[in-house]
Amino acid sequence: MAHQQGVEVSEVAESGPGLVFIAYPKAVTQMPFSTVWAILFFVMILLLGLASQFVCVEGFVTAVVDIFPDYLRRGNRRFWFMIATSAVSFLLGLSMVTRGGIYVFQIFDYYSASGLVLLWIAFFEAFAIGWVYGADRFVNHMQHMIGYEISSWMKLCWKYLTPVLMLVIISGFLINYKPLKYNNTYEYPLWGHAIGWSLALVSMAIIPAYIVYAFLTTEGSLKERIRYLTTPQLELRPEAIAEQSNGHLELTIIK
């Protein structure tokens, strides 16, 4: 393709939707049995999209249902909640298949689904496991469940390596941040970047915001609040009793 267009390989296409829907289909047409490869390629894209949606919808629905079990686990409420979630996602997706939809898609892809948001969440997850819940306690519970010892390397990663790497990558992203451009030609206006950062902050700000909320609503002195909020509150469900036998964890369900 680069030879036909008389340009460098790096100029044929960039990462993103252009690579999937323009460069790859064009390359497929130049292969032997192009029709077969084209069908296989787009079936793969369809299955990949469906699999991604299953993960996103189920993950979101399961989290919300676990927060409000008394309300959403009655009758068919979970099913209708999933239908509502899919409907809202479908309506939001309609904005991305209009004539200007690619510009909307780029904002969502660059900001709300970017590496910065995922790294931010991953940092707090690693910090919570390694330092709040406790890496030793976490490893101990896992060893009871799976029945064999876990390498100390995992504890080292949870407590030190992963949080530090996350912070380094996040810092590098912010230092080298460049405003979003479409196809290296169209520069988004200021309000477009404001929408993008708003999408990112919806996921990012909720974590420190809840930390502040929990701290302000907890009674006691400063030291007592910190101790209480950083101490795991473990409660065994009455219908499950954990018994350890021969180094394995056995669950006896009481009906």
Side-chain angles (χ1 to χ4, degrees):
M1 292 175 59
H3 176 73
Q4 290 180 345
Q5 300 177 17
V7 297
E8 297 292 333
V9 176
S10 59
E11 299 178 10
V12 173
E14 297 183 353
S15 61
L19 185 64
V20 177
F21 297 108
I22 298 176
Y24 281 175
K26 178 64 176 178
V28 167
T29 60
Q30 302 179 25
M31 298 173 60
F33 308 104
S34 58
T35 303
V36 176
W37 291 112
I39 293 174
L40 293 176
F41 174 75
F42 283 104
V43 168
M44 178 198 69
I45 295 297
L46 176 62
L47 295 178
L48 181 63
L50 289 175
S52 300
Q53 287 303 305
F54 276 120
V55 172
C56 293
V57 173
E58 281 292 339
F60 172 76
V61 170
T62 301
V64 176
V65 170
D66 288 343
I67 296 175
F68 306 101
D70 296 336
Y71 182 78
L72 292 175
R73 287 181 181 173
R74 294 183 179 179
N76 295 326
R77 291 181 179 179
R78 186 183 190 278
F79 170 77
W80 289 112
F81 178 68
M82 185 176 296
I83 293 296
T85 301
S86 301
V88 172
S89 301
F90 172 76
L91 294 176
L92 292 175
L94 288 179
S95 64
M96 303 181 190
V97 295
T98 59
R99 289 188 176 182
I102 187 62
Y103 301 99
V104 179
F105 174 82
Q106 287 282 84
I107 291 179
F108 274 80
D109 181 63
Y110 187 77
Y111 288 101
S112 63
S114 67
L116 177 62
V117 176
L118 299 178
L119 290 172
W120 177 266
I121 297 175
F123 166 77
F124 281 98
E125 289 180 343
F127 182 82
I129 291 176
W131 295 97
V132 179
Y133 189 77
D136 293 331
R137 182 184 289 107
F138 189 69
V139 168
N140 184 48
H141 293 334
M142 289 188 64
Q143 289 178 165
H144 284 175
M145 288 186 287
I146 63 179
Y148 56 87
E149 293 186 0
I150 298 177
S151 172
S152 299
W153 169 251
M154 300 301 297
K155 291 194 295 184
L156 183 66
C157 291
W158 290 328
K159 295 187 67 173
Y160 304 105
L161 185 60
T162 300
V164 170
L165 286 178
M166 296 298 103
L167 286 178
V168 170
I169 298 174
I170 291 173
S171 301
F173 180 90
L174 295 176
I175 293 173
N176 299 317
Y177 168 75
K178 296 180 181 179
L180 174 63
K181 291 184 179 180
Y182 174 66
N183 203 24
N184 276 333
T185 55
Y186 175 77
E187 296 187 5
Y188 282 79
L190 181 61
W191 59 266
H193 294 293
I195 293 176
W197 278 110
S198 298
L199 292 172
L201 290 175
V202 166
S203 301
M204 297 174 63
I206 194 65
I207 299 176
Y210 185 79
I211 294 175
V212 174
Y213 168 78
F215 183 80
L216 295 177
T217 56
T218 301
E219 299 180 354
S221 63
L222 176 62
K223 187 176 182 179
E224 291 173 344
R225 295 182 186 185
I226 295 176
R227 182 185 297 113
Y228 176 79
L229 293 175
T230 56
T231 301
Q233 304 296 322
L234 301 179
E235 295 182 2
L236 293 177
R237 293 180 300 171
E239 67 271 17
I241 299 177
E243 296 180 351
Q244 186 173 358
S245 175
N246 299 325
H248 297 275
L249 184 70
E250 297 179 356
L251 293 179
T252 303
I253 307 300
I254 301 177
K255 298 183 178 179

